Amino acid sequence: MEKSEIQFKSFNLSINAERLFSRLTKLGQIGRDGDGKLTRLAATDTDKAGRDAVVVWMKEAGLEIAIDRIGNIFGIWRSPDAEDQAPILMGSHIDTVINAGIYDGCYGVLAGIEVIKTLREAGVVPSRPIAVAAFTNEEGVRYAPDMMGSLVFAGGLPVEEALATVGIDGTLLGAELERIGYAGTEDPGFLQPHAYVELHIEQGPVLERMGISIGAVENLQGISWQRITIEGVANHAGTTPMAMRRDAGHAAARVVTFLHDRAISSTTPTVATVGCLHFEPSAINVIPSRATFTVDLRDPNEQRLKDEEAALADYLEKLAAAEEVCITAERLARFEPVIFDDNIAELVECAADRRGLSSKRMTSGAGHDAQMIARICPTAMVFVPSVGGISHNPREYTSESDLVAGANVLLDVVSRLAGVL
């Protein structure tokens, strides 16, 4: 489809920027500790406080509130002329990492509410219902896997299995959702979307460095998470000759170097990260007997991702023999690359052009709820620049002009999908 084939009707609406910024700021204050650090892990008291605020804002927008059994929150605008139509769904998440910024996830949820509020205030009558979702446990910090709420909603994980998940603090997700009052009654998937659009900060440096306002996200990298355990022999750091050691710490360091060197020397977009690393007995004068660490592999091509997994497995086998250690690997999560809907990505480009904004097609390097919802309906994402490419960090920042631009593009795309434009 050529861009010229998509014609938007005359449409002069724009979101209320002051209202959006005010809510982003208010939500960004919920969950701060005595040092000012922002943390809202899934199903905690601070998550409850954030959810409560979002529900209030959804109700202020005139939305019907529905909560499913995994705790996903939906604000639904049911068009009187389209009760039997599948809705256009927007959304993201409001749970955070530890010591987070204020935009990741929250921007997509609050902008979705703002889109509906803007349309309702203008007296618009869509030909489809429009809804916004706040999905549970997208970050996966307290409970694994990440993107759990949207995965359960899309039918990729049984709800009972998800509710039985044990967190890093020993709690059960189901019990914690009950405790905070967000164990809903709707079965996951009760709402079947016609299409899903997620607005998000890029969390990377591409748009800012290229001076581009809008990213029309057409695909998302596949993700492979593993936990590697290396068993060696603890011994005295001073009396054990180097050649006589079975050093789990040294073996782990070799894996880290292997992954880095392989990725950086490749001409592909593969990335590899060791994000967690722990030695036992963790004493300065004892050779580590055990090393446990995580490996995060990502690539937008499924075959390349499989090749990287195979290369790592082969290296670990050879390393175990060379270092005389025992190595085991546990898969934590595995998601194939996702191809988003080309027509919606095209709408994003055309909406940006209509607003006088530059845009480009791009790949998402991070995982998002959109990759799960893409299993059940046409899906795409809208990115706006992240200053310095920083995210999962209190220095995460996107300018107000870019936030407004992204929300207005979302407004146009959703309006077109809902028959308004």
Side-chain angles (χ1 to χ4, degrees):
M1 181 187 297
E2 296 294 330
K3 287 185 183 181
S4 59
E5 293 180 28
I6 297 179
Q7 298 295 327
F8 285 90
K9 299 175 186 176
S10 177
F11 187 77
N12 298 316
L13 294 181
S14 292
I15 60 100
N16 184 316
E18 183 179 353
R19 187 165 55 205
L20 176 60
F21 300 150
S22 173
R23 290 175 175 178
L24 274 169
T25 301
K26 289 177 181 177
L27 186 55
Q29 294 305 309
I30 296 174
R32 293 195 181 271
D33 63 16
D35 296 324
K37 295 179 179 179
L38 172 62
T39 303
R40 284 194 309 270
L41 303 189
T44 57
D45 291 341
T46 54
D47 185 31
K48 169 183 167 50
R51 287 166 173 264
D52 289 347
V54 167
V55 168
V56 167
W57 293 327
M58 286 180 172
K59 289 180 177 178
E60 288 179 359
L63 305 184
E64 169 192 325
I65 306 300
I67 302 172
D68 67 13
R69 293 178 59 205
I70 195 63
N72 297 322
I73 303 169
F74 299 87
I76 307 167
W77 178 21
R78 297 192 186 277
S79 175
D81 299 329
E83 285 292 331
D84 60 340
Q85 297 293 311
I88 306 303
L89 182 63
M90 301 170 283
S92 195
H93 64 97
I94 67 162
D95 67 310
T96 73
V97 297
I98 298 169
N99 195 20
I102 71 171
Y103 303 102
D104 177 6
C106 303
Y107 171 50
V109 175
L110 299 183
I113 296 172
E114 182 57 38
V115 164
I116 296 176
K117 181 77 168 172
T118 298
L119 292 173
R120 288 180 68 96
E121 288 176 341
V124 168
V125 180
S127 60
R128 289 185 177 277
I130 304 177
V132 58
F135 291 108
T136 295
N137 190 40
E138 193 271 354
E139 294 293 3
V141 176
R142 191 182 185 197
Y143 302 99
D146 56 349
M147 296 165 284
M148 182 186 285
S150 52
L151 178 62
V152 171
F153 179 75
L157 178 67
V159 64
E160 297 297 346
E161 182 178 333
L163 292 173
T165 303
V166 178
I168 57 174
D169 53 2
T171 58
L172 287 177
L173 175 58
E176 287 293 273
L177 287 172
E178 288 275 5
R179 184 184 65 81
I180 67 170
Y182 281 92
T185 58
E186 299 286 353
D187 287 330
F190 76 99
L191 194 73
Q192 289 296 311
H194 175 72
Y196 176 74
V197 188
E198 182 169 352
L199 174 63
H200 210 283
I201 60 170
E202 182 193 349
Q203 300 181 281
V206 175
L207 292 175
E208 185 196 32
R209 290 189 180 183
M210 296 183 70
I212 293 174
S213 299
I214 297 293
V217 185
E218 60 183 354
N219 56 21
L220 188 147
Q221 292 197 107
I223 301 174
S224 172
W225 281 5
Q226 298 178 62
R227 180 185 292 116
I228 310 298
T229 301
I230 302 179
E231 302 278 359
V233 175
N235 216 330
H236 196 291
T239 63
T240 310
M242 297 299 290
M244 298 182 184
R245 300 183 177 206
R246 296 170 62 188
D247 186 343
H250 177 248
R254 290 187 63 180
V255 178
V256 175
T257 301
F258 166 78
L259 290 168
H260 177 271
D261 290 350
R262 180 176 172 87
I264 206 166
S265 64
S266 173
T267 58
T268 72
T270 302
V271 292
T273 304
V274 173
C276 302
L277 176 61
H278 177 69
F279 292 158
E280 295 178 26
S282 191
I284 192 170
N285 58 350
V286 180
I287 298 165
S289 61
R290 172 181 289 190
T292 306
F293 56 97
T294 57
V295 174
D296 178 323
L297 297 172
R298 304 192 188 204
D299 195 285
N301 179 277
E302 173 65 11
Q303 187 55 56
R304 286 200 302 262
L305 188 57
K306 287 180 176 179
D307 291 344
E308 294 306 312
E309 291 173 317
L312 174 59
D314 181 64
Y315 182 77
L316 293 177
E317 182 179 355
K318 293 176 180 176
L319 180 66
E323 295 284 336
E324 297 184 65
V325 294
C326 178
I327 302 179
T328 56
E330 174 191 3
R331 174 166 286 179
L332 300 177
R334 180 59 160 84
F335 300 115
E336 293 185 1
V338 175
I339 305 299
F340 288 137
D341 185 81
D342 186 68
N343 289 328
I344 301 178
E346 185 92 15
L347 282 177
V348 173
E349 291 179 303
C350 291
D353 185 64
R354 177 178 176 275
R355 296 270 180 177
L357 302 167
S358 56
S359 67
K360 76 178 298 292
R361 292 286 185 105
M362 63 189 305
T363 295
S364 172
H368 296 285
D369 291 311
Q371 77 186 78
M372 303 307 173
I373 307 304
R375 301 178 178 207
I376 59 173
C377 70
T379 295
M381 297 188 70
V382 183
F383 275 177
V384 294
S386 294
V387 173
I390 296 171
S391 186
H392 285 185
N393 185 306
R395 293 191 294 124
E396 175 182 278
Y397 180 73
T398 294
S399 72
E400 292 187 356
S401 60
D402 285 332
L403 293 172
V404 170
N408 280 331
V409 167
L410 179 67
L411 172 65
D412 289 356
V413 170
V414 168
S415 297
R416 177 61 180 261
L417 291 171
V420 175
L421 277 176

